[in-house]
Amino acid sequence: MLPARFDYHRAESIEEALSLLDQYGDDAKVLAGGMSLIPLMKLRFASPGHLVDVNPVAELAGIEEADGSLRIGAMTRHRDIVDSDLIKAGYPALATAAPLVADPIVRNRGTIGGSLCHADPAGDFGSVLLALGAQMVVRSSSGERTVAIDDFLVDTFTTALEPNELLTGIRVPQAGPRSGGTYLKLERKVGDFATVGVAVQLQMEDGHVGRAGIGLTAVGPRNFRAAEAESALAGAEPTDEAFAEAGRLAAQTAQPSDDVRGSAGYKRHVVEVFVRRGLQAALQGAA
Amino acid sequence: MQITVTVNGTERATDVESRLLLVHFLRDTLGLTGTHVGCDTSNCGACTVLLGEIPVKSCTMFAVQADGGQVTTVEGLTGEGGLHPIQAAFKEEHGLQCGFCTPGMMLVGAALLERDPEPTDDDVRWAISGNVCRCTGYMNIVKAIQAAGRAMASDAVEAEPAAVSS
């Protein structure tokens, strides 16, 4: 399969990428790992006139902690997130999700920023970042802004990015002591998109739940937050009953549809079970 | 667009269309047909090549993105001394039947052994989980990659006996 013709531009810096986006606007797409964009172009679902390749922009990749947050560059490849000791040590929801994204060869090339900008409701990182309360750092030639992940993910394949904007990085608040998290994913085979995915982050305070973050994958038009379940948990005792109730609330929030991966009813059931299990695992991690 | 890619150690400078996929550059422009096109949607791994030392799916990358880079295809595994240990091990352990997935499997296996010369069953299965084989049931592929690891370790011992410690 051959994509439609396009002009290829290699950006060596963020400024160069932004200037190309200014120049070509809506007719340009940013090429990161290409693991979603190139298949879309081959299937002619996308036919941009210009591709701005940001692979050479070294400053867009990297993982570090600074000023109370974990900073992940948008061009950071999945394999580097899988291998990151920093993430393994302090960010269990990210650490469990990363090896479940696609397959090892796709992870060698695919990037977290590319995955988020693609905004597939079956993408894994959107849910994790919702659970973690992440901020997206967005640049254009006129400046920088941060957007909460809740507002960044607008709809299926749609983000809050303007045509002249580039996602440069992700900021995840540094988790405190007595916090835990995990990501549970049901897939038919390695490399498949999630049938259902659930990200959970739990912050305990004096024996009760301080903050609970729950993000849902592949059960609606975008990754979204199980807000009712989160509210019910805030301040609650971490009992089996409270976790089971959170599972039921999250299942009510979910908007799955019947497809080749399962019926809506089945997916709703999996959400309920995964939220309950995820909360139990997160609580163990917080101990 | 003018690109220069080092393929299997040889620099190849060519003018290509920007939409040309790396796999078609290898197969059609350079005539290296060992790299296969399977699903053409980055699911099956038959098109896997090494970019530097890292396995990538060449059906999901543009040739222009490899400009200035180094690509190894299955043809590049065979050295002057004959088959690469992983090729020899696939032959010995019957790690293939139809052979369609084999180039990708061998390149992923070779890249794994560079990082971990003694992978467990799980390590190998994890590493090849992006490569689909419809013949073998994977058993002999796993055995072949492990056997190649052992062969490479003993070759290294023979080549550098002084490096062996008690």
Side-chain angles (χ1 to χ4, degrees):
Chain A
M1 289 182 286
L2 206 56
R5 286 195 176 79
F6 61 87
D7 289 336
Y8 173 82
H9 309 272
R10 177 176 306 188
E12 303 284 346
S13 67
I14 292 176
E15 288 70 26
E16 193 179 350
L18 294 176
S19 133
L20 286 160
L21 292 179
D22 278 341
Q23 194 176 343
Y24 299 112
D26 246 349
D27 200 24
K29 284 291 279 181
V30 174
L31 176 63
M35 295 297 102
S36 301
L37 179 58
I38 296 176
L40 282 187
M41 290 174 66
K42 288 164 70 175
L43 294 163
R44 306 281 175 125
F45 288 136
S47 302
H50 300 269
L51 278 193
V52 178
D53 186 356
V54 292
N55 280 271
V57 186
E59 60 190 309
L60 279 175
I63 302 168
E64 59 171 10
E65 272 179 329
D67 304 328
S69 65
L70 175 75
R71 296 167 174 223
I72 307 174
M75 263 299 304
T76 306
R77 299 191 198 275
H78 302 316
R79 77 177 265 143
D80 296 321
I81 296 175
V82 173
D83 290 344
S84 165
D85 290 332
L86 196 58
I87 287 177
K88 278 182 208 156
Y91 302 88
L94 270 170
T96 47
L100 299 176
V101 175
D103 68 49
I105 314 178
V106 169
R107 288 196 296 273
N108 284 343
R109 198 82 195 138
T111 69
I112 187 168
S115 171
L116 292 163
C117 292
H118 181 53
D120 190 319
D124 300 297
F125 280 129
S127 299
V128 176
L129 296 183
L130 283 164
L132 291 170
Q135 298 282 324
M136 315 295 281
V137 184
V138 171
R139 284 260 301 267
S140 71
S141 54
S142 50
E144 183 175 288
R145 65 181 178 124
T146 55
V147 186
I149 181 70
D150 304 69
D151 302 321
F152 183 82
L153 300 172
V154 174
D155 205 342
T156 307
F157 304 136
T158 307
T159 69
L161 283 178
E162 297 295 332
N164 67 335
E165 287 182 322
L166 179 71
L167 176 70
T168 57
I170 296 127
R171 287 185 195 164
V172 176
Q174 223 167 318
R178 291 189 303 285
S179 66
T182 194
Y183 185 67
L184 298 172
K185 178 177 182 176
L186 180 70
E187 54 185 2
R188 297 175 302 176
K189 59 173 268 295
V190 168
D192 192 20
F193 286 103
T195 303
V196 171
V198 171
V200 170
Q201 179 74 15
L202 211 50
Q203 175 67 57
M204 299 301 294
E205 280 170 18
D206 302 327
H208 63 265
V209 177
R211 175 189 173 276
I214 302 172
L216 307 180
T217 303
V219 288
R222 39 161 280 191
N223 298 118
F224 66 99
R225 184 182 289 289
E228 291 81 2
E230 290 180 354
S231 309
L233 285 166
E237 300 294 317
T239 59
D240 289 350
E241 292 72 32
F243 289 174
E245 176 61 12
R248 282 190 289 274
L249 289 169
Q252 283 168 20
T253 312
Q255 305 158 34
S257 42
D258 298 328
D259 65 20
V260 66
R261 292 183 176 83
S263 68
Y266 171 63
K267 293 178 188 179
R268 209 181 281 281
H269 179 66
V270 175
V271 168
E272 181 175 341
V273 173
F274 273 10
V275 167
R276 177 161 45 80
R277 286 185 194 164
L279 286 165
Q280 282 158 348
L283 180 65
Q284 281 192 339
Chain B
M1 209 183 137
Q2 189 67 29
I3 61 168
T4 304
V5 186
T6 304
V7 180
N8 301 331
T10 306
E11 213 170 79
R12 314 293 289 256
T14 325
D15 190 38
V16 298
E17 229 187 319
S18 53
R19 63 174 170 167
L20 183 71
L21 295 161
L22 179 59
V23 69
H24 296 307
F25 171 70
L26 296 169
R27 287 178 57 86
D28 305 338
T29 311
L30 303 184
L32 296 169
T33 53
T35 305
H36 294 158
V37 181
C39 67
D40 207 2
T41 53
S42 73
N43 283 288
C44 78
C47 66
T48 303
V49 299
L50 303 183
L51 181 65
E53 292 173 348
I54 296 179
V56 299
K57 295 186 179 180
S58 63
C59 80
T60 311
M61 186 174 159
F62 296 112
V64 289
Q65 293 185 276
D67 184 24
Q70 302 215 355
V71 172
T72 304
T73 69
V74 67
E75 289 91 342
L77 282 177
T78 310
E80 284 176 7
L83 294 181
H84 184 282
I86 202 147
Q87 294 174 305
F90 267 70
K91 182 181 165 192
E92 192 61 33
E93 300 290 336
H94 201 145
L96 67 149
Q97 287 182 28
C98 85
F100 199 83
C101 72
T102 312
M105 289 287 184
M106 292 197 298
L107 287 163
V108 167
L112 170 67
L113 295 176
E114 284 295 318
R115 284 190 294 133
D116 179 1
E118 292 181 63
T120 63
D121 267 32
D122 274 0
D123 295 336
V124 175
R125 287 177 183 276
W126 186 250
I128 63 171
S129 60
N131 298 75
V132 174
C133 171
R134 297 292 77 167
C135 305
T136 64
Y138 302 97
M139 297 289 291
N140 290 351
I141 293 175
V142 176
K143 279 190 207 163
I145 292 173
Q146 289 173 320
R150 289 192 295 274
M152 288 160 76
S154 72
D155 285 356
V157 170
E158 278 170 33
E160 295 175 60
V164 182
S165 64
S166 60

